[in-house]
Amino acid sequence: MGVDLKKLSHLILFVGLLPTVSLWLAGFDKYIPNLPWWIDKPTPLVIYGLLFILFDIYLWKINIFRFFGVVTVPNLEGRWEGKHVSSHKENGLNTEVPGALEIDQTFSKISFRAYFPESKSKKVIASFGNEGDNQYLYYTYDSEIAVKSKEKMKNHLGTAKVEYVESGKSKKLKGTYFNSAGNTGDMEYLFSSKQLKHDL
């Protein structure tokens, strides 16, 4: 994620196109005579910064940037609902826990929180990586147990590997995880909406 100047598409956009547009926009006063005295002329550097922020937050989602290889990671922004199946057993059976992932993503970063009946967690570090033709999101998380469940569960750290799968209108996140509490498990989430609830 973010700018990688080893990529030709990033060189063209961030070193070639955006600076050129910034210089052109910095001379806008040539095309608008008699500007009020209180309008201060922005510098090319300020304009470049504003254009980059605009791209980082909004424009990276436009398909043309994916077509030209500027953006290569999936847009996971929104709320995902599903479940974890843990190696932790209760009554001899693996525990199945409903959950929700809420992801906030820009071109340069991704962050999320996960919500479960007895805990919530937040991302510590996350990055995308490829294995063959498949692309995965790898992340570590910090899980905080609800006060009511402190006696049977403890706060812990964990690591997960998640694959984004799109089929028609269906969008899915599926993967595996393990944590410092000694448990492993599988997870599967379906895209729910762009609206975040900040709760299960």
mmCIF file of all heavy atoms in Angstrom, residues 115-133:
data_model
loop_
_atom_site.group_PDB
_atom_site.id
_atom_site.type_symbol
_atom_site.label_atom_id
_atom_site.label_comp_id
_atom_site.label_asym_id
_atom_site.label_seq_id
_atom_site.Cartn_x
_atom_site.Cartn_y
_atom_site.Cartn_z
ATOM 1 N N TYR A 115 -15.443 -6.879 16.210
ATOM 2 C CA TYR A 115 -16.364 -6.912 17.346
ATOM 3 C C TYR A 115 -16.941 -8.316 17.511
ATOM 4 O O TYR A 115 -17.397 -8.927 16.531
ATOM 5 C CB TYR A 115 -17.499 -5.911 17.127
ATOM 6 C CG TYR A 115 -17.014 -4.488 16.955
ATOM 7 C CD1 TYR A 115 -16.769 -3.970 15.684
ATOM 8 C CD2 TYR A 115 -16.780 -3.668 18.055
ATOM 9 C CE1 TYR A 115 -16.308 -2.671 15.517
ATOM 10 C CE2 TYR A 115 -16.316 -2.368 17.898
ATOM 11 C CZ TYR A 115 -16.086 -1.873 16.630
ATOM 12 O OH TYR A 115 -15.621 -0.584 16.464
ATOM 13 N N PHE A 116 -16.904 -8.817 18.748
ATOM 14 C CA PHE A 116 -17.427 -10.143 19.086
ATOM 15 C C PHE A 116 -18.269 -10.023 20.353
ATOM 16 O O PHE A 116 -18.215 -9.006 21.047
ATOM 17 C CB PHE A 116 -16.264 -11.126 19.303
ATOM 18 C CG PHE A 116 -15.303 -11.168 18.150
ATOM 19 C CD1 PHE A 116 -14.098 -10.466 18.195
ATOM 20 C CD2 PHE A 116 -15.594 -11.903 17.024
ATOM 21 C CE1 PHE A 116 -13.215 -10.499 17.138
ATOM 22 C CE2 PHE A 116 -14.713 -11.943 15.947
ATOM 23 C CZ PHE A 116 -13.527 -11.240 16.006
ATOM 24 N N PRO A 117 -19.040 -11.055 20.688
ATOM 25 C CA PRO A 117 -19.896 -10.961 21.879
ATOM 26 C C PRO A 117 -19.139 -10.677 23.167
ATOM 27 O O PRO A 117 -19.666 -10.000 24.059
ATOM 28 C CB PRO A 117 -20.572 -12.337 21.932
ATOM 29 C CG PRO A 117 -20.581 -12.813 20.521
ATOM 30 C CD PRO A 117 -19.308 -12.299 19.936
ATOM 31 N N GLU A 118 -17.902 -11.180 23.305
ATOM 32 C CA GLU A 118 -17.179 -11.029 24.557
ATOM 33 C C GLU A 118 -15.864 -10.273 24.419
ATOM 34 O O GLU A 118 -15.077 -10.213 25.356
ATOM 35 C CB GLU A 118 -16.910 -12.410 25.170
ATOM 36 C CG GLU A 118 -18.186 -13.154 25.541
ATOM 37 C CD GLU A 118 -17.912 -14.491 26.202
ATOM 38 O OE1 GLU A 118 -17.304 -15.366 25.533
ATOM 39 O OE2 GLU A 118 -18.279 -14.649 27.381
ATOM 40 N N SER A 119 -15.613 -9.699 23.257
ATOM 41 C CA SER A 119 -14.353 -8.981 23.070
ATOM 42 C C SER A 119 -14.432 -8.068 21.859
ATOM 43 O O SER A 119 -15.370 -8.134 21.062
ATOM 44 C CB SER A 119 -13.187 -9.975 22.886
ATOM 45 O OG SER A 119 -13.338 -10.676 21.663
ATOM 46 N N LYS A 120 -13.425 -7.230 21.736
ATOM 47 C CA LYS A 120 -13.238 -6.423 20.537
ATOM 48 C C LYS A 120 -11.738 -6.305 20.295
ATOM 49 O O LYS A 120 -10.929 -6.435 21.221
ATOM 50 C CB LYS A 120 -13.879 -5.052 20.675
ATOM 51 C CG LYS A 120 -13.323 -4.197 21.799
ATOM 52 C CD LYS A 120 -14.069 -2.879 21.889
ATOM 53 C CE LYS A 120 -13.534 -2.012 23.040
ATOM 54 N NZ LYS A 120 -14.261 -0.722 23.133
ATOM 55 N N SER A 121 -11.358 -6.109 19.060
ATOM 56 C CA SER A 121 -9.932 -6.014 18.758
ATOM 57 C C SER A 121 -9.690 -4.927 17.729
ATOM 58 O O SER A 121 -10.600 -4.510 17.010
ATOM 59 C CB SER A 121 -9.394 -7.360 18.260
ATOM 60 O OG SER A 121 -10.020 -7.744 17.055
ATOM 61 N N LYS A 122 -8.440 -4.474 17.660
ATOM 62 C CA LYS A 122 -8.060 -3.473 16.684
ATOM 63 C C LYS A 122 -6.751 -3.877 16.028
ATOM 64 O O LYS A 122 -5.941 -4.602 16.602
ATOM 65 C CB LYS A 122 -7.919 -2.105 17.331
ATOM 66 C CG LYS A 122 -6.848 -2.029 18.403
ATOM 67 C CD LYS A 122 -6.805 -0.643 19.037
ATOM 68 C CE LYS A 122 -5.752 -0.579 20.141
ATOM 69 N NZ LYS A 122 -5.688 0.761 20.767
ATOM 70 N N LYS A 123 -6.573 -3.396 14.814
ATOM 71 C CA LYS A 123 -5.367 -3.701 14.059
ATOM 72 C C LYS A 123 -4.161 -3.030 14.693
ATOM 73 O O LYS A 123 -4.232 -1.894 15.164
ATOM 74 C CB LYS A 123 -5.521 -3.205 12.620
ATOM 75 C CG LYS A 123 -4.271 -3.380 11.775
ATOM 76 C CD LYS A 123 -3.971 -2.192 10.894
ATOM 77 C CE LYS A 123 -3.624 -0.929 11.595
ATOM 78 N NZ LYS A 123 -3.050 0.137 10.757
ATOM 79 N N VAL A 124 -3.039 -3.745 14.703
ATOM 80 C CA VAL A 124 -1.768 -3.171 15.126
ATOM 81 C C VAL A 124 -0.927 -2.866 13.889
ATOM 82 O O VAL A 124 -0.457 -1.747 13.689
ATOM 83 C CB VAL A 124 -1.009 -4.124 16.076
ATOM 84 C CG1 VAL A 124 0.336 -3.526 16.453
ATOM 85 C CG2 VAL A 124 -1.841 -4.410 17.318
ATOM 86 N N ILE A 125 -0.743 -3.852 13.034
ATOM 87 C CA ILE A 125 -0.004 -3.701 11.782
ATOM 88 C C ILE A 125 -0.756 -4.478 10.713
ATOM 89 O O ILE A 125 -1.276 -5.571 10.974
ATOM 90 C CB ILE A 125 1.433 -4.246 11.899
ATOM 91 C CG1 ILE A 125 2.207 -3.501 12.989
ATOM 92 C CG2 ILE A 125 2.175 -4.137 10.578
ATOM 93 C CD1 ILE A 125 3.574 -4.106 13.276
ATOM 94 N N ALA A 126 -0.809 -3.947 9.494
ATOM 95 C CA ALA A 126 -1.470 -4.664 8.401
ATOM 96 C C ALA A 126 -0.783 -4.347 7.087
ATOM 97 O O ALA A 126 -0.293 -3.234 6.871
ATOM 98 C CB ALA A 126 -2.945 -4.282 8.320
ATOM 99 N N SER A 127 -0.727 -5.338 6.201
ATOM 100 C CA SER A 127 -0.174 -5.132 4.862
ATOM 101 C C SER A 127 -0.685 -6.219 3.926
ATOM 102 O O SER A 127 -1.080 -7.305 4.361
ATOM 103 C CB SER A 127 1.357 -5.147 4.886
ATOM 104 O OG SER A 127 1.839 -6.420 5.266
ATOM 105 N N PHE A 128 -0.684 -5.909 2.644
ATOM 106 C CA PHE A 128 -1.072 -6.878 1.629
ATOM 107 C C PHE A 128 0.163 -7.591 1.099
ATOM 108 O O PHE A 128 1.250 -7.018 1.038
ATOM 109 C CB PHE A 128 -1.795 -6.179 0.470
ATOM 110 C CG PHE A 128 -3.186 -5.724 0.792
ATOM 111 C CD1 PHE A 128 -3.421 -4.435 1.244
ATOM 112 C CD2 PHE A 128 -4.267 -6.586 0.643
ATOM 113 C CE1 PHE A 128 -4.712 -4.005 1.539
ATOM 114 C CE2 PHE A 128 -5.554 -6.169 0.938
ATOM 115 C CZ PHE A 128 -5.778 -4.881 1.384
ATOM 116 N N GLY A 129 -0.025 -8.830 0.694
ATOM 117 C CA GLY A 129 1.064 -9.599 0.106
ATOM 118 C C GLY A 129 0.518 -10.626 -0.866
ATOM 119 O O GLY A 129 -0.658 -11.008 -0.794
ATOM 120 N N ASN A 130 1.364 -11.071 -1.779
ATOM 121 C CA ASN A 130 0.954 -12.051 -2.779
ATOM 122 C C ASN A 130 1.608 -13.395 -2.517
ATOM 123 O O ASN A 130 2.767 -13.469 -2.110
ATOM 124 C CB ASN A 130 1.325 -11.575 -4.181
ATOM 125 C CG ASN A 130 0.572 -10.329 -4.595
ATOM 126 O OD1 ASN A 130 -0.613 -10.193 -4.309
ATOM 127 N ND2 ASN A 130 1.263 -9.409 -5.240
ATOM 128 N N GLU A 131 0.847 -14.444 -2.772
ATOM 129 C CA GLU A 131 1.361 -15.805 -2.785
ATOM 130 C C GLU A 131 0.864 -16.436 -4.073
ATOM 131 O O GLU A 131 -0.307 -16.794 -4.192
ATOM 132 C CB GLU A 131 0.875 -16.598 -1.578
ATOM 133 C CG GLU A 131 1.465 -16.138 -0.257
ATOM 134 C CD GLU A 131 1.067 -17.033 0.898
ATOM 135 O OE1 GLU A 131 0.607 -18.171 0.637
ATOM 136 O OE2 GLU A 131 1.216 -16.607 2.053
ATOM 137 N N GLY A 132 1.756 -16.512 -5.061
ATOM 138 C CA GLY A 132 1.337 -16.976 -6.373
ATOM 139 C C GLY A 132 0.385 -15.972 -6.987
ATOM 140 O O GLY A 132 0.646 -14.768 -7.025
ATOM 141 N N ASP A 133 -0.776 -16.448 -7.436
ATOM 142 C CA ASP A 133 -1.782 -15.567 -8.038
ATOM 143 C C ASP A 133 -2.751 -14.996 -7.003
ATOM 144 O O ASP A 133 -3.635 -14.219 -7.348
ATOM 145 C CB ASP A 133 -2.579 -16.332 -9.106
ATOM 146 C CG ASP A 133 -1.708 -16.737 -10.287
ATOM 147 O OD1 ASP A 133 -0.729 -16.015 -10.573
ATOM 148 O OD2 ASP A 133 -2.003 -17.771 -10.920
#
